[in-house]
Amino acid sequence: ELVATRLSRIMVARLLRTAIGAITNPKTGWKTTHFWGPVANWGLVVAAVSDGFNKGPEVISVKMTGTLCIYSLLFMRFAWLVQPRNYLLFACHFFNECAQLTQLYRGIQYENSVRALEEAKEESSSTKSAADGAAKVGFLSAIGQSLQSQAMKLPLPEGVRGLLAHPAGPFTIHFWAPTFKWMLSVSNLLDYDRPVENVSTMQQTALCATGFIWSRYSMVIIPKNYNLFAVNISLAVTGSYHLGRKILHEMKKKKE
């Protein structure tokens, strides 16, 4: 028992040293967006957990939550392949996947309980189509190198060859993860007239923070990712729109 206690203390001490070393690392630590980019994404996890415990299922946007589920799957692979490799980002999206799946289940159950059977079937069909599309994207990014080598053998214009050979081109996860992230902005746009009382303040705050911080992070990673930059600017704008609606609504309620 004494040996086990000593071993556990040694393991904890090593983990603490590793964590402190990672946080204080001058290249990827707390003074860089390699740290704050993933930290901003943890806001999505906190928002999902907080809404799960404190809010009813009526605040859950199935479109946005379903998109977040697929988004986190793609960004787990992105975090593993990007340079420098980002373990904090990987952990964030792993936990976010678990939290968002729980919220998605609650949201679908709620919608099915208040809609007619035909509408519930349509919702189920659209969710399945999105999942099928994400599966194809994941498969294409996984076999990207093989497809890329075959495509480069074709007699293509230099501009097209340059695009296909780019380290963040269409045969890599560095292209498909940001491309699917556009669905977060699309989902926010589709919810433009969502009843303001059903807008999740924490979720939209997290999306805004992610958008603003990741627009910087996308410019300091390898490979530099302009697609990721553009989608995060868009996400910051759409998130700010919903957050602004929510804040104005709360201010009006206080005046009344």
Side-chain angles (χ1 to χ4, degrees), residues 7-57:
L7 285 174
S8 62
R9 287 178 179 175
I10 291 171
M11 289 178 65
V12 169
R14 285 180 178 176
L15 285 172
L16 284 173
R17 281 198 298 269
T18 302
I20 292 170
I23 293 172
T24 57
N25 188 304
K27 293 183 178 179
T28 58
W30 70 274
K31 293 182 180 180
T32 72
T33 47
H34 299 289
F35 176 82
W36 290 108
V39 167
N41 271 13
W42 277 98
L44 295 173
V45 185
V46 173
V49 173
S50 176
D51 287 347
F53 279 104
N54 302 314
K55 301 285 180 68

Short mmCIF file of all heavy atoms in Angstrom, two decimals, residues 7-57:
data_model
loop_
_atom_site.label_atom_id
_atom_site.label_comp_id
_atom_site.label_asym_id
_atom_site.label_seq_id
_atom_site.Cartn_x
_atom_site.Cartn_y
_atom_site.Cartn_z
N LEU A 7 3.98 5.61 -5.69
CA LEU A 7 3.90 5.60 -7.15
C LEU A 7 2.84 6.58 -7.66
O LEU A 7 3.06 7.29 -8.65
CB LEU A 7 3.57 4.18 -7.64
CG LEU A 7 4.71 3.17 -7.61
CD1 LEU A 7 4.19 1.77 -7.98
CD2 LEU A 7 5.83 3.58 -8.58
N SER A 8 1.71 6.63 -6.96
CA SER A 8 0.64 7.55 -7.38
C SER A 8 1.10 9.00 -7.22
O SER A 8 0.82 9.85 -8.06
CB SER A 8 -0.63 7.31 -6.57
OG SER A 8 -0.41 7.56 -5.19
N ARG A 9 1.85 9.29 -6.15
CA ARG A 9 2.36 10.65 -5.95
C ARG A 9 3.37 11.02 -7.03
O ARG A 9 3.39 12.15 -7.52
CB ARG A 9 3.01 10.75 -4.57
CG ARG A 9 2.02 10.78 -3.43
CD ARG A 9 2.73 10.85 -2.08
NE ARG A 9 1.78 10.89 -0.97
CZ ARG A 9 2.14 10.86 0.32
NH1 ARG A 9 3.43 10.77 0.64
NH2 ARG A 9 1.20 10.92 1.26
N ILE A 10 4.21 10.06 -7.40
CA ILE A 10 5.20 10.31 -8.46
C ILE A 10 4.49 10.59 -9.79
O ILE A 10 4.86 11.52 -10.53
CB ILE A 10 6.15 9.10 -8.60
CG1 ILE A 10 7.06 8.99 -7.37
CG2 ILE A 10 6.99 9.23 -9.87
CD1 ILE A 10 7.87 7.71 -7.30
N MET A 11 3.45 9.79 -10.07
CA MET A 11 2.70 9.98 -11.32
C MET A 11 2.01 11.33 -11.36
O MET A 11 2.03 12.04 -12.37
CB MET A 11 1.67 8.86 -11.49
CG MET A 11 2.28 7.51 -11.81
SD MET A 11 1.05 6.21 -11.92
CE MET A 11 0.13 6.74 -13.35
N VAL A 12 1.41 11.73 -10.23
CA VAL A 12 0.73 13.03 -10.16
C VAL A 12 1.74 14.17 -10.33
O VAL A 12 1.49 15.15 -11.05
CB VAL A 12 -0.01 13.18 -8.81
CG1 VAL A 12 -0.49 14.62 -8.61
CG2 VAL A 12 -1.20 12.22 -8.77
N ALA A 13 2.92 14.02 -9.68
CA ALA A 13 3.95 15.05 -9.79
C ALA A 13 4.43 15.19 -11.24
O ALA A 13 4.63 16.30 -11.75
CB ALA A 13 5.12 14.71 -8.88
N ARG A 14 4.59 14.06 -11.93
CA ARG A 14 5.02 14.10 -13.32
C ARG A 14 3.97 14.76 -14.21
O ARG A 14 4.29 15.54 -15.11
CB ARG A 14 5.31 12.69 -13.82
CG ARG A 14 6.63 12.11 -13.29
CD ARG A 14 6.86 10.71 -13.82
NE ARG A 14 8.14 10.18 -13.36
CZ ARG A 14 8.56 8.94 -13.61
NH1 ARG A 14 7.79 8.10 -14.31
NH2 ARG A 14 9.73 8.53 -13.16
N LEU A 15 2.71 14.41 -13.96
CA LEU A 15 1.62 15.01 -14.74
C LEU A 15 1.56 16.52 -14.53
O LEU A 15 1.36 17.29 -15.48
CB LEU A 15 0.28 14.37 -14.35
CG LEU A 15 0.02 12.96 -14.88
CD1 LEU A 15 -1.25 12.38 -14.25
CD2 LEU A 15 -0.12 12.96 -16.40
N LEU A 16 1.75 16.93 -13.28
CA LEU A 16 1.74 18.37 -12.98
C LEU A 16 2.90 19.08 -13.68
O LEU A 16 2.72 20.16 -14.24
CB LEU A 16 1.81 18.60 -11.47
CG LEU A 16 0.52 18.35 -10.69
CD1 LEU A 16 0.77 18.45 -9.20
CD2 LEU A 16 -0.55 19.35 -11.11
N ARG A 17 4.08 18.46 -13.65
CA ARG A 17 5.25 19.07 -14.31
C ARG A 17 5.00 19.18 -15.82
O ARG A 17 5.35 20.17 -16.44
CB ARG A 17 6.50 18.25 -14.02
CG ARG A 17 7.11 18.50 -12.65
CD ARG A 17 8.56 18.02 -12.59
NE ARG A 17 8.65 16.57 -12.81
CZ ARG A 17 8.60 15.66 -11.83
NH1 ARG A 17 8.44 16.06 -10.58
NH2 ARG A 17 8.71 14.38 -12.10
N THR A 18 4.42 18.12 -16.39
CA THR A 18 4.14 18.13 -17.82
C THR A 18 3.13 19.23 -18.17
O THR A 18 3.29 19.95 -19.14
CB THR A 18 3.58 16.76 -18.27
OG1 THR A 18 4.54 15.74 -17.96
CG2 THR A 18 3.31 16.74 -19.77
N ALA A 19 2.08 19.33 -17.34
CA ALA A 19 1.04 20.34 -17.58
C ALA A 19 1.60 21.75 -17.46
O ALA A 19 1.34 22.61 -18.30
CB ALA A 19 -0.12 20.14 -16.60
N ILE A 20 2.40 21.97 -16.41
CA ILE A 20 3.00 23.30 -16.21
C ILE A 20 3.94 23.62 -17.35
O ILE A 20 3.98 24.75 -17.86
CB ILE A 20 3.72 23.36 -14.85
CG1 ILE A 20 2.69 23.29 -13.71
CG2 ILE A 20 4.55 24.64 -14.73
CD1 ILE A 20 3.30 23.11 -12.34
N GLY A 21 4.72 22.61 -17.78
CA GLY A 21 5.64 22.81 -18.90
C GLY A 21 4.90 23.17 -20.17
O GLY A 21 5.35 24.04 -20.94
N ALA A 22 3.77 22.52 -20.41
CA ALA A 22 2.99 22.80 -21.62
C ALA A 22 2.39 24.20 -21.57
O ALA A 22 2.39 24.93 -22.57
CB ALA A 22 1.88 21.76 -21.78
N ILE A 23 1.88 24.60 -20.40
CA ILE A 23 1.24 25.91 -20.26
C ILE A 23 2.24 27.05 -20.39
O ILE A 23 1.95 28.11 -20.95
CB ILE A 23 0.48 26.00 -18.92
CG1 ILE A 23 -0.71 25.04 -18.93
CG2 ILE A 23 0.02 27.42 -18.64
CD1 ILE A 23 -1.40 24.89 -17.60
N THR A 24 3.46 26.83 -19.87
CA THR A 24 4.48 27.89 -19.89
C THR A 24 5.39 27.83 -21.11
O THR A 24 6.29 28.67 -21.25
CB THR A 24 5.34 27.81 -18.62
OG1 THR A 24 5.95 26.50 -18.53
CG2 THR A 24 4.50 28.06 -17.38
N ASN A 25 5.18 26.86 -21.99
CA ASN A 25 5.99 26.75 -23.20
C ASN A 25 5.90 28.05 -24.02
O ASN A 25 4.80 28.49 -24.36
CB ASN A 25 5.51 25.57 -24.05
CG ASN A 25 6.43 25.28 -25.23
OD1 ASN A 25 6.70 26.14 -26.04
ND2 ASN A 25 6.89 24.05 -25.31
N PRO A 26 7.03 28.69 -24.34
CA PRO A 26 6.97 29.98 -25.05
C PRO A 26 6.40 29.89 -26.46
O PRO A 26 5.93 30.90 -27.01
CB PRO A 26 8.44 30.43 -25.08
CG PRO A 26 9.24 29.18 -24.91
CD PRO A 26 8.41 28.29 -24.04
N LYS A 27 6.42 28.70 -27.06
CA LYS A 27 5.94 28.55 -28.44
C LYS A 27 4.46 28.16 -28.51
O LYS A 27 3.78 28.52 -29.48
CB LYS A 27 6.78 27.52 -29.19
CG LYS A 27 8.22 27.95 -29.41
CD LYS A 27 8.97 26.91 -30.22
CE LYS A 27 10.40 27.36 -30.49
NZ LYS A 27 11.16 26.34 -31.27
N THR A 28 3.98 27.42 -27.51
CA THR A 28 2.59 26.94 -27.57
C THR A 28 1.82 27.17 -26.27
O THR A 28 0.70 26.68 -26.13
CB THR A 28 2.56 25.43 -27.89
OG1 THR A 28 3.31 24.71 -26.88
CG2 THR A 28 3.17 25.14 -29.25
N GLY A 29 2.42 27.89 -25.33
CA GLY A 29 1.81 28.07 -24.01
C GLY A 29 0.80 29.19 -23.93
O GLY A 29 0.27 29.66 -24.95
N TRP A 30 0.56 29.67 -22.71
CA TRP A 30 -0.55 30.59 -22.45
C TRP A 30 -0.38 31.95 -23.11
O TRP A 30 -1.35 32.70 -23.22
CB TRP A 30 -0.74 30.76 -20.94
CG TRP A 30 0.35 31.52 -20.26
CD1 TRP A 30 1.53 31.03 -19.77
CD2 TRP A 30 0.38 32.92 -19.98
NE1 TRP A 30 2.29 32.02 -19.22
CE2 TRP A 30 1.60 33.20 -19.33
CE3 TRP A 30 -0.51 33.97 -20.22
CZ2 TRP A 30 1.95 34.48 -18.91
CZ3 TRP A 30 -0.17 35.25 -19.81
CH2 TRP A 30 1.05 35.49 -19.15
N LYS A 31 0.80 32.28 -23.58
CA LYS A 31 1.01 33.56 -24.24
C LYS A 31 0.72 33.50 -25.74
O LYS A 31 0.90 34.49 -26.45
CB LYS A 31 2.45 34.04 -24.03
CG LYS A 31 2.78 34.40 -22.58
CD LYS A 31 4.20 34.91 -22.47
CE LYS A 31 4.52 35.27 -21.02
NZ LYS A 31 5.91 35.78 -20.85
N THR A 32 0.27 32.35 -26.23
CA THR A 32 0.05 32.16 -27.67
C THR A 32 -1.39 31.75 -27.96
O THR A 32 -2.11 31.27 -27.08
CB THR A 32 0.99 31.07 -28.23
OG1 THR A 32 0.54 29.78 -27.77
CG2 THR A 32 2.42 31.28 -27.78
N THR A 33 -1.79 31.91 -29.24
CA THR A 33 -3.14 31.47 -29.64
C THR A 33 -3.22 29.96 -29.78
O THR A 33 -4.32 29.41 -29.90
CB THR A 33 -3.55 32.12 -30.97
OG1 THR A 33 -2.48 31.99 -31.91
CG2 THR A 33 -3.88 33.58 -30.79
N HIS A 34 -2.07 29.26 -29.76
CA HIS A 34 -2.10 27.79 -29.73
C HIS A 34 -2.76 27.30 -28.44
O HIS A 34 -3.30 26.19 -28.39
CB HIS A 34 -0.68 27.20 -29.82
CG HIS A 34 0.02 27.57 -31.09
ND1 HIS A 34 -0.32 27.06 -32.30
CD2 HIS A 34 1.07 28.42 -31.31
CE1 HIS A 34 0.48 27.56 -33.23
NE2 HIS A 34 1.32 28.38 -32.66
N PHE A 35 -2.70 28.14 -27.41
CA PHE A 35 -3.34 27.83 -26.13
C PHE A 35 -4.75 28.41 -26.06
O PHE A 35 -5.71 27.71 -25.73
CB PHE A 35 -2.49 28.40 -24.98
CG PHE A 35 -3.09 28.23 -23.61
CD1 PHE A 35 -2.96 27.03 -22.93
CD2 PHE A 35 -3.79 29.27 -23.01
CE1 PHE A 35 -3.51 26.87 -21.66
CE2 PHE A 35 -4.34 29.11 -21.75
CZ PHE A 35 -4.21 27.91 -21.07
N TRP A 36 -4.90 29.69 -26.41
CA TRP A 36 -6.18 30.37 -26.23
C TRP A 36 -7.23 29.96 -27.27
O TRP A 36 -8.43 30.05 -26.99
CB TRP A 36 -5.99 31.89 -26.24
CG TRP A 36 -5.27 32.33 -24.99
CD1 TRP A 36 -3.99 32.79 -24.89
CD2 TRP A 36 -5.80 32.32 -23.67
NE1 TRP A 36 -3.68 33.07 -23.59
CE2 TRP A 36 -4.78 32.79 -22.81
CE3 TRP A 36 -7.03 31.97 -23.11
CZ2 TRP A 36 -4.95 32.91 -21.44
CZ3 TRP A 36 -7.21 32.09 -21.74
CH2 TRP A 36 -6.17 32.56 -20.92
N GLY A 37 -6.79 29.49 -28.44
CA GLY A 37 -7.74 28.99 -29.42
C GLY A 37 -8.53 27.81 -28.87
O GLY A 37 -9.77 27.83 -28.83
N PRO A 38 -7.85 26.75 -28.39
CA PRO A 38 -8.58 25.63 -27.76
C PRO A 38 -9.35 26.04 -26.51
O PRO A 38 -10.44 25.53 -26.27
CB PRO A 38 -7.45 24.65 -27.41
CG PRO A 38 -6.37 24.95 -28.38
CD PRO A 38 -6.43 26.43 -28.61
N VAL A 39 -8.78 26.96 -25.71
CA VAL A 39 -9.48 27.41 -24.50
C VAL A 39 -10.83 28.03 -24.87
O VAL A 39 -11.85 27.79 -24.21
CB VAL A 39 -8.62 28.40 -23.70
CG1 VAL A 39 -9.45 29.12 -22.64
CG2 VAL A 39 -7.45 27.68 -23.04
N ALA A 40 -10.85 28.82 -25.96
CA ALA A 40 -12.12 29.41 -26.41
C ALA A 40 -13.12 28.33 -26.78
O ALA A 40 -14.32 28.44 -26.51
CB ALA A 40 -11.87 30.33 -27.61
N ASN A 41 -12.63 27.25 -27.40
CA ASN A 41 -13.52 26.15 -27.77
C ASN A 41 -14.09 25.42 -26.56
O ASN A 41 -15.16 24.81 -26.65
CB ASN A 41 -12.78 25.15 -28.68
CG ASN A 41 -12.90 25.52 -30.14
OD1 ASN A 41 -13.30 26.62 -30.48
ND2 ASN A 41 -12.53 24.61 -31.01
N TRP A 42 -13.36 25.44 -25.44
CA TRP A 42 -13.90 24.81 -24.23
C TRP A 42 -15.19 25.50 -23.79
O TRP A 42 -15.99 24.92 -23.07
CB TRP A 42 -12.87 24.84 -23.10
CG TRP A 42 -11.89 23.72 -23.17
CD1 TRP A 42 -10.63 23.76 -23.68
CD2 TRP A 42 -12.09 22.37 -22.71
NE1 TRP A 42 -10.03 22.53 -23.58
CE2 TRP A 42 -10.89 21.66 -22.99
CE3 TRP A 42 -13.14 21.71 -22.11
CZ2 TRP A 42 -10.74 20.31 -22.68
CZ3 TRP A 42 -12.99 20.36 -21.79
CH2 TRP A 42 -11.81 19.68 -22.08
N GLY A 43 -15.38 26.74 -24.25
CA GLY A 43 -16.63 27.43 -23.95
C GLY A 43 -17.84 26.70 -24.49
O GLY A 43 -18.93 26.74 -23.89
N LEU A 44 -17.67 26.02 -25.64
CA LEU A 44 -18.78 25.23 -26.21
C LEU A 44 -19.13 24.07 -25.30
O LEU A 44 -20.31 23.72 -25.13
CB LEU A 44 -18.38 24.72 -27.60
CG LEU A 44 -18.15 25.77 -28.68
CD1 LEU A 44 -17.61 25.12 -29.95
CD2 LEU A 44 -19.45 26.51 -28.98
N VAL A 45 -18.10 23.45 -24.70
CA VAL A 45 -18.34 22.34 -23.77
C VAL A 45 -19.06 22.85 -22.53
O VAL A 45 -20.06 22.26 -22.08
CB VAL A 45 -17.01 21.67 -23.36
CG1 VAL A 45 -17.27 20.45 -22.49
CG2 VAL A 45 -16.20 21.27 -24.60
N VAL A 46 -18.57 23.95 -21.97
CA VAL A 46 -19.18 24.53 -20.77
C VAL A 46 -20.62 24.93 -21.06
O VAL A 46 -21.52 24.69 -20.24
CB VAL A 46 -18.37 25.76 -20.29
CG1 VAL A 46 -19.09 26.47 -19.15
CG2 VAL A 46 -16.98 25.32 -19.85
N ALA A 47 -20.86 25.53 -22.25
CA ALA A 47 -22.22 25.95 -22.61
C ALA A 47 -23.16 24.75 -22.69
O ALA A 47 -24.30 24.79 -22.20
CB ALA A 47 -22.20 26.70 -23.94
N ALA A 48 -22.69 23.65 -23.33
CA ALA A 48 -23.53 22.46 -23.47
C ALA A 48 -23.85 21.84 -22.12
O ALA A 48 -24.99 21.46 -21.85
CB ALA A 48 -22.84 21.44 -24.38
N VAL A 49 -22.83 21.75 -21.26
CA VAL A 49 -23.03 21.15 -19.93
C VAL A 49 -23.95 22.03 -19.09
O VAL A 49 -24.87 21.55 -18.41
CB VAL A 49 -21.68 20.93 -19.22
CG1 VAL A 49 -21.90 20.49 -17.78
CG2 VAL A 49 -20.86 19.89 -19.97
N SER A 50 -23.72 23.36 -19.14
CA SER A 50 -24.54 24.29 -18.36
C SER A 50 -26.00 24.24 -18.81
O SER A 50 -26.92 24.18 -17.98
CB SER A 50 -23.99 25.71 -18.50
OG SER A 50 -24.82 26.64 -17.84
N ASP A 51 -26.22 24.27 -20.14
CA ASP A 51 -27.59 24.21 -20.66
C ASP A 51 -28.24 22.88 -20.33
O ASP A 51 -29.45 22.80 -20.10
CB ASP A 51 -27.60 24.44 -22.18
CG ASP A 51 -27.33 25.89 -22.55
OD1 ASP A 51 -27.38 26.75 -21.65
OD2 ASP A 51 -27.08 26.15 -23.73
N GLY A 52 -27.42 21.81 -20.32
CA GLY A 52 -27.95 20.49 -20.00
C GLY A 52 -28.48 20.40 -18.58
O GLY A 52 -29.49 19.75 -18.31
N PHE A 53 -27.78 21.08 -17.65
CA PHE A 53 -28.18 21.01 -16.24
C PHE A 53 -29.20 22.08 -15.86
O PHE A 53 -30.04 21.87 -14.98
CB PHE A 53 -26.95 21.16 -15.33
CG PHE A 53 -26.16 19.89 -15.17
CD1 PHE A 53 -24.96 19.71 -15.84
CD2 PHE A 53 -26.62 18.86 -14.36
CE1 PHE A 53 -24.23 18.53 -15.71
CE2 PHE A 53 -25.91 17.68 -14.20
CZ PHE A 53 -24.71 17.52 -14.89
N ASN A 54 -29.12 23.25 -16.52
CA ASN A 54 -29.90 24.39 -16.06
C ASN A 54 -31.04 24.82 -16.97
O ASN A 54 -31.90 25.61 -16.56
CB ASN A 54 -28.97 25.60 -15.86
CG ASN A 54 -27.86 25.31 -14.87
OD1 ASN A 54 -28.10 24.75 -13.81
ND2 ASN A 54 -26.63 25.68 -15.22
N LYS A 55 -31.05 24.36 -18.23
CA LYS A 55 -32.08 24.80 -19.17
C LYS A 55 -32.88 23.61 -19.69
O LYS A 55 -32.38 22.48 -19.75
CB LYS A 55 -31.42 25.52 -20.36
CG LYS A 55 -30.60 26.75 -19.99
CD LYS A 55 -31.49 27.90 -19.63
CE LYS A 55 -30.66 29.14 -19.26
NZ LYS A 55 -29.96 29.67 -20.44
N GLY A 56 -34.10 23.91 -20.08
CA GLY A 56 -34.94 22.88 -20.67
C GLY A 56 -34.53 22.60 -22.12
O GLY A 56 -33.79 23.38 -22.72
N PRO A 57 -35.02 21.51 -22.71
CA PRO A 57 -34.63 21.15 -24.08
C PRO A 57 -35.14 22.12 -25.14
O PRO A 57 -34.69 22.06 -26.29
CB PRO A 57 -35.25 19.75 -24.25
CG PRO A 57 -36.39 19.71 -23.29
CD PRO A 57 -35.95 20.54 -22.11
#
